Amino acid sequence: MIILYAVLVLLVLYIIFAVGPAAVIYHKIFSRKSLSEELGRRELIGTRYEPYMDELLDAERYVKSLSRRQISITARDGVVLRGEYADNNSCKTVIFCHGYRGYPIGNFCAQARDLYRAGFNLLFITQRGHGDSGGKRVGLGIIEQYDILSWIDYEGKKENIEEILLFGSSMGSSAIAYSSDKIKSEKVKGMVIDCGFSCTGKQLVYESANRKIPPFLVMPIIRLIAKIELGEDIYVSACESLKKTKIPALFFHGTTDKTVPIESGIENYNACASDKKFVSVDGAEHLTAYVAGGTEAKNELKEFINKNFK
């Protein structure tokens, strides 16, 4: 009887200190996210973007001055996804895949400006579970990988489109990495993976530890809930996909990224089986490698484009 009571007490404690918190954390992480509409000087002051504020704001104004139209597609599971398209009358399109809670144009304003000037059409997708795209949950890359395939189908079916570049940041990069072995379209000529994590589950473990939440208590429950609700194992590594990809890849990562450590980016790079290059930007924090890298980073992107696109 004493043993039974002890087991019951342990069970109650586990529910209180593990199952309950894990369910709350899961809901907070994977629930729908709203998006801001634009960058602002006030919002950038005091953040990691402040040193590059003038360039970012100028680049955003440039992109927003372009004629853009709203588009929508239906994902493979029936979810309606939204995006914005800036037509450059080109046979080349870059599909931008933003990060967790990222504002699409804000995530890529400098890159979009440079690639538009280089002759690309711009397609800014809004990830599922974000903004005006559908979906009850954010997938942290493991679901979004299939959405990327749908966006490639959408753009690749256009007769005038001959080449597609995938460009991701953070979660968007990881989604591209996860999808990299499933892309069948020969029009996809390259992918840029900026500060992407190698595994959704490992990234959540890292985040939990940083927040002083014992991963061993909550992660098994979060993994189980995700498996039931999302139908995917969050511990499957994007490296397994990259090991089978043939798409040329350019990796960017900041050496002082505290959100996604550079070791995670290196892990992706080492696994990648295609022609590849890794660009580490000294002192760059999360999502800032391209602008922090200055002329050198821009030249790396130009070299990648010249090598893999007409």
Side-chain angles (χ1 to χ4, degrees):
M1 186 63 70
I2 294 175
I3 294 176
L4 178 59
Y5 282 144
V7 170
L8 289 174
V9 168
L10 289 174
L11 180 60
V12 170
L13 290 174
Y14 183 70
I15 293 172
I16 293 173
F17 292 105
V19 178
V24 171
I25 292 169
Y26 174 86
H27 177 75
K28 184 175 181 179
I29 293 172
F30 290 90
S31 63
R32 287 189 56 83
K33 308 298 175 188
S34 59
L35 299 179
S36 61
E37 294 185 357
E38 59 184 11
L39 301 178
R41 189 170 295 273
R42 179 181 301 175
E43 289 76 18
L44 295 181
I45 291 176
T47 71
R48 59 180 175 266
Y49 305 107
E50 184 174 2
Y52 325 106
M53 182 166 56
D54 289 340
E55 180 182 2
L56 291 173
L57 293 175
D58 286 345
E60 184 192 39
R61 281 191 290 269
Y62 178 88
V63 174
K64 286 201 163 188
S65 73
L66 302 174
S67 176
R68 291 168 287 125
R69 69 175 186 271
Q70 302 294 316
I71 58 175
S72 64
I73 66 169
T74 301
R76 298 184 178 193
D77 61 354
V79 171
V80 176
L81 304 172
R82 310 288 184 184
E84 280 190 292
Y85 196 91
D87 195 334
N88 203 9
N89 296 315
S90 173
C91 62
K92 301 181 292 187
T93 297
V94 52
I95 301 177
F96 289 113
C97 307
H98 69 81
Y100 186 73
R101 298 182 66 183
Y103 163 50
I105 291 178
N107 264 190
F108 300 106
C109 54
Q111 298 93 324
R113 173 202 59 198
D114 295 344
L115 286 168
Y116 190 86
R117 289 171 174 170
F120 282 80
N121 307 312
L122 310 178
L123 172 50
F124 299 95
I125 71 173
T126 299
Q127 304 276 23
R128 68 170 51 223
H130 287 78
D132 58 356
S133 279
K136 295 180 180 179
R137 297 294 186 196
V138 176
L140 289 181
I142 57 172
I143 303 300
E144 290 81 359
Q145 62 173 308
Y146 304 110
D147 297 340
I148 289 172
L149 301 180
S150 297
W151 283 111
I152 292 170
D153 289 343
Y154 165 82
E155 192 65 9
K157 286 177 181 177
K158 298 178 182 178
E159 291 185 3
N160 65 307
I161 299 301
E162 299 175 2
E163 299 178 310
I164 294 173
L165 169 65
L166 302 176
F167 204 129
S169 66
S170 194
M171 183 193 79
S173 283
S174 298
I176 291 172
Y178 275 116
S179 72
S180 62
D181 65 329
K182 305 171 186 68
I183 296 170
K184 306 302 180 184
S185 174
E186 294 183 357
K187 292 185 177 182
V188 179
K189 303 297 185 181
M191 54 185 178
V192 181
I193 297 178
D194 186 354
C195 62
F197 47 83
S198 59
C199 173
T200 298
K202 286 173 62 176
Q203 179 63 24
L204 291 179
V205 168
Y206 177 80
E207 295 280 357
S208 296
N210 280 348
R211 288 165 171 75
K212 311 302 181 185
I213 301 170
F216 72 90
L217 278 180
V218 297
M219 285 307 301
I221 305 302
I222 291 174
R223 183 181 190 179
L224 177 62
I225 298 173
K227 185 69 175 179
I228 294 170
E229 190 173 51
L230 304 179
E232 298 283 343
D233 184 358
I234 60 175
Y235 276 90
V236 171
S237 175
C239 293
E240 296 305 312
S241 297
L242 289 167
K243 288 176 182 177
K244 296 174 281 186
T245 191
K246 297 180 180 179
I247 302 170
L250 175 63
F251 294 82
F252 284 109
H253 220 113
T255 61
T256 56
D257 192 328
K258 297 181 180 63
T259 302
V260 179
I262 192 171
E263 290 78 13
S264 192
I266 293 172
E267 188 177 0
N268 276 334
Y269 170 76
N270 287 337
C272 185
S274 62
D275 184 54
K276 60 189 179 181
K277 186 168 186 179
F278 190 89
V279 180
S280 62
V281 180
D282 190 41
E285 298 185 55
H286 194 56
L287 299 173
T288 67
Y290 186 75
V291 287
T295 301
E296 182 178 348
K298 291 176 174 59
N299 286 340
E300 291 287 0
L301 179 59
K302 287 179 184 177
E303 182 179 324
F304 181 76
I305 296 301
N306 292 336
K307 182 177 181 180
N308 296 292
F309 291 77
K310 295 177 184 177

